[in-house]
Amino acid sequence: MTGSSPAPLAPARTDGVAVDKGLKSGALGLGSSIVLGVSSTAPAYALAATLGFVVIAVGVKAPAIMLLAFVPMWLIAIAYSELNKREPDCGTTFTWAARAFGPRTGWMGGWGIIAADVIVMANLAQIAGSYGYRLVGLDGLAESTLWTTVAGVGWIALMTWICYRGIEPTARLQKVLLAIELVVLVAFAGYALVKVFGGGAPAGSLTPSLSWLWPSGVSWPALTEAALLAIFIYWGWDSALAVNEETADPTRSPGRAAIISTVLLVGIYVVVSVATVAFAGVGTEGIGLGNEANAEDVFAALGATVFGDDLVGRAFEALLIISVLTSAAACTQTTILPTARGTLSMAAYGALPRSFARIHPRYLTPTVSTIWMGIVSIAFYVGLTLVSENVLIDSITATGMLIAFYYGLTGFAAAWGFRRSRSPRDVLMRVVLPLLGGLFMLMVFVLACIEYADPDYGYTVIGGVGGVFVVGVGSLVLGLVLMAVWNLVAPAFFRGETMARGTGDLLLEPAQVTLALPDSTEATVVAPDLSNLPPGREPFDPRAGS
């Protein structure tokens, strides 16, 4: 910290009306928001760690799964966008669910984000630590649990410090890391496809087919397992919404960035998955993607074969390692970012201790929230590593349950909050599509519970139940316990004293007419900046009656 003056607290919420939390407004443009949204999903790392398992489940239909998983993500991105237009609050799901369903539901939505982010940080740190050693040729240290953990802790500390220093340095670093990542992924796909169509691919390679883009012939259990994996691959674009209060045009740019991010991601994932499946095939021997030995990191298994042994090929192979490293590092940073802002918002409403709302006087970032995110992530990572690496692996898989929980809750919050919409556009975009996204996520959550509760699933069994299920559901139960404790300590938020229920929309005051049908009403939503207010008309707040 700099300066002698203490970091200020974000203003408290007393009447449910949004106030300035002290973050640096206008710091990010649409482009920076898109970069944060895409890099938060860690495309290179997500594909490296997940594509092999998807192929083992569904074979050549892996690209179809990428397309299928895009649909609910796009629907939920629409829900985020519409809710953000109404109330651009960095608490996102926490704030919007509390408005729609009440403080306890909102608190659990906020907890879902916190729990998912803390859990995934452990895996990201482990990957970053391991690949950091591989990059400099220290493969022995990369295989060491102790030294990988040391490096992983270092990565978390470094990224926490960068996030603490300000949103703009974070955005600049993300642009560099994402550029490296995308260049290498495009090169990998290009090299692979050129060799496939030029006859230079190894035995077992396949010619791409349009049938790969449709999931016909896949069994329901295999489809379910692959879809659960693909949901995890897409997760993270909502970071673009968590920085909404620091974005220029906060009611529009963050939502547009989220939707654009999901579209860019589906393009990346489909192209790379088609190229990888075509080049390596789905066999169970050698570099085949059906070989379980390759599943944990398909790029490490294929890199040398795809790029070749010449100077350029070796350079790209090294860049492939760098891209996975930067992908994990970037995602570590963009996981700290939204969680710190979520806890900031919760504290500003009184749903967490007020100290979490403290803002740095110079950097204009959440101080306590950012530091605690780093500390808790390190403690969780080190703790699980000491207990069991198998538990750590299962905890990462359990993240999918938490993702489905808070994404689905956001979809339902949009559908319920906008249920009185009347125009065809608003009914479709604000109610129907978010509701479909919420229902899909609910289905994913239920199927995940069934799948993960099987003691044969995953690497651990706790009390005769699959460890993945125990970690996922246990995280939510822990949230309920913490919520009950905070309810006893500081009940104001849970009594509705710090956040008003309802939409918070300003509506267009009905025009004075002399002739109208008995049920004629006008309830046009007015933008917060009154930019769409017709001349000579006035807005009114239906909650306040004025």
Side-chain angles (χ1 to χ4, degrees):
M1 295 179 61
T2 61
S4 58
S5 59
L9 292 173
R13 308 283 185 147
T14 57
D15 57 1
V17 179
V19 296
D20 182 9
K21 299 186 186 69
L23 296 168
K24 189 172 185 178
S25 60
L28 303 176
L30 177 61
S32 295
S33 296
I34 294 171
V35 168
L36 288 176
V38 175
S39 62
S40 293
T41 65
Y45 157 69
L47 284 168
T50 311
L51 180 58
F53 292 105
V54 174
V55 171
I56 290 173
V58 299
V60 296
K61 299 293 185 175
I65 298 301
M66 302 300 170
L67 283 173
L68 180 64
F70 160 74
V71 175
M73 286 298 172
W74 178 71
L75 296 175
I76 296 299
I78 288 175
Y80 269 82
S81 178
E82 294 300 322
L83 285 165
N84 185 76
K85 288 177 184 177
R86 188 184 68 185
E87 185 173 12
D89 189 290
C90 63
T92 60
T93 299
F94 157 73
T95 305
W96 301 329
R99 293 282 195 208
F101 303 122
R104 288 170 179 80
T105 304
W107 200 97
M108 286 303 297
W111 171 255
I113 297 174
I114 295 170
D117 287 350
V118 168
I119 290 173
V120 82
M121 282 286 283
N123 185 248
L124 293 170
Q126 186 180 48
I127 293 296
S130 174
Y131 268 78
Y133 289 129
R134 291 182 183 178
L135 181 62
V136 294
L138 300 176
D139 292 351
L141 294 182
E143 300 298 327
S144 167
T145 300
L146 172 62
W147 288 107
T148 298
T149 303
V150 170
V153 168
W155 276 108
I156 295 177
L158 175 62
M159 294 305 164
T160 300
W161 178 77
I162 293 174
C163 290
Y164 182 92
R165 294 277 297 182
I167 186 67
E168 290 165 318
T170 298
R172 287 194 293 268
L173 178 60
Q174 288 297 317
K175 290 177 181 178
V176 174
L177 297 179
L178 183 62
I180 295 171
E181 196 174 345
L182 295 183
V183 167
V184 175
L185 286 176
V186 169
F188 179 87
Y191 265 77
L193 290 175
V194 166
K195 288 190 175 182
V196 167
F197 288 107
S205 64
L206 303 169
T207 301
S209 168
L210 288 177
S211 65
W212 293 5
L213 302 178
W214 184 253
S216 59
V218 178
S219 68
W220 182 252
L223 184 64
T224 300
E225 181 179 358
L228 288 170
L229 291 168
I231 290 295
F232 177 79
I233 291 179
Y234 278 98
W235 174 48
W237 51 262
D238 49 303
S239 292
L241 278 300
V243 295
N244 47 20
E245 297 186 43
E246 297 155 277
T247 306
D249 195 3
T251 60
R252 295 183 58 206
S253 292
R256 293 170 61 194
I259 294 173
I260 293 171
S261 295
T262 59
V263 174
L264 291 175
L265 286 168
V266 71
I268 294 169
Y269 290 158
V270 170
V271 170
V272 174
S273 61
V274 166
T276 307
V277 170
F279 182 86
V282 295
T284 58
E285 302 292 335
I287 65 169
L289 296 181
N291 185 347
E292 293 188 4
N294 301 329
E296 292 187 0
D297 191 341
V298 296
F299 291 154
L302 301 180
T305 309
V306 169
F307 289 120
D309 197 39
D310 58 15
L311 181 61
V312 175
R314 288 196 299 270
F316 269 112
E317 187 181 355
L319 284 174
L320 190 60
I321 295 175
I322 293 174
S323 71
V324 177
L325 170 62
T326 59
S327 181
C331 194
T332 302
Q333 184 182 17
T334 52
T335 300
I336 296 169
L337 202 72
T339 313
R341 280 145 183 80
T343 52
L344 162 68
S345 181
M346 293 177 75
Y349 279 109
L352 285 179
R354 286 280 292 148
S355 60
F356 281 86
R358 196 170 295 279
I359 297 294
H360 195 284
R362 177 183 174 186
Y363 304 134
L364 302 181
T365 56
T367 54
V368 175
S369 288
T370 300
I371 292 170
W372 268 106
M373 177 58 184
I375 291 173
V376 172
S377 297
I378 289 173
F380 181 82
Y381 174 37
V382 174
L384 280 194
T385 301
L386 291 174
V387 172
S388 170
E389 285 196 66
N390 287 336
V391 176
L392 177 60
I393 294 171
D394 279 354
S395 70
I396 304 306
T397 306
T399 306
M401 300 176 69
L402 299 171
I403 298 168
F405 171 74
Y406 83 82
Y407 272 2
L409 185 58
T410 308
F412 291 134
W416 181 256
F418 294 118
R419 66 191 182 281
R420 294 188 178 92
S421 298
R422 296 189 176 189
S423 73
R425 184 266 175 201
D426 285 351
V427 170
L428 176 64
M429 299 293 288
R430 293 185 159 193
V431 180
V432 176
L433 296 183
L435 179 60
L436 290 175
L439 290 172
F440 189 99
M441 290 298 169
L442 176 61
M443 180 183 69
V444 167
F445 182 83
V446 172
L447 291 174
C449 288
I450 296 171
E451 181 84 10
Y452 296 160
D454 187 343
D456 293 329
Y457 192 94
Y459 294 88
T460 57
V461 178
I462 303 174
V465 181
V468 178
F469 174 86
V470 173
V471 173
V473 174
S475 298
L476 295 176
V477 172
L478 175 60
L480 289 172
V481 172
L482 294 176
M483 181 177 68
V485 171
W486 188 245
N487 190 9
L488 294 174
V489 174
F493 169 73
F494 300 98
R495 291 173 181 166
E497 297 172 6
T498 61
M499 178 188 288
R501 287 284 298 276
T503 66
D505 281 336
L506 292 176
L507 302 182
L508 184 63
E509 185 177 73
Q512 299 298 318
V513 295
T514 57
L515 179 64
L517 295 174
D519 61 346
S520 293
T521 59
E522 184 177 57
T524 303
V525 176
V526 177
D529 61 357
L530 308 184
S531 59
N532 65 335
L533 184 66
R537 304 291 293 279
E538 296 293 334
F540 73 98
D541 186 345
R543 294 178 300 160
S546 61

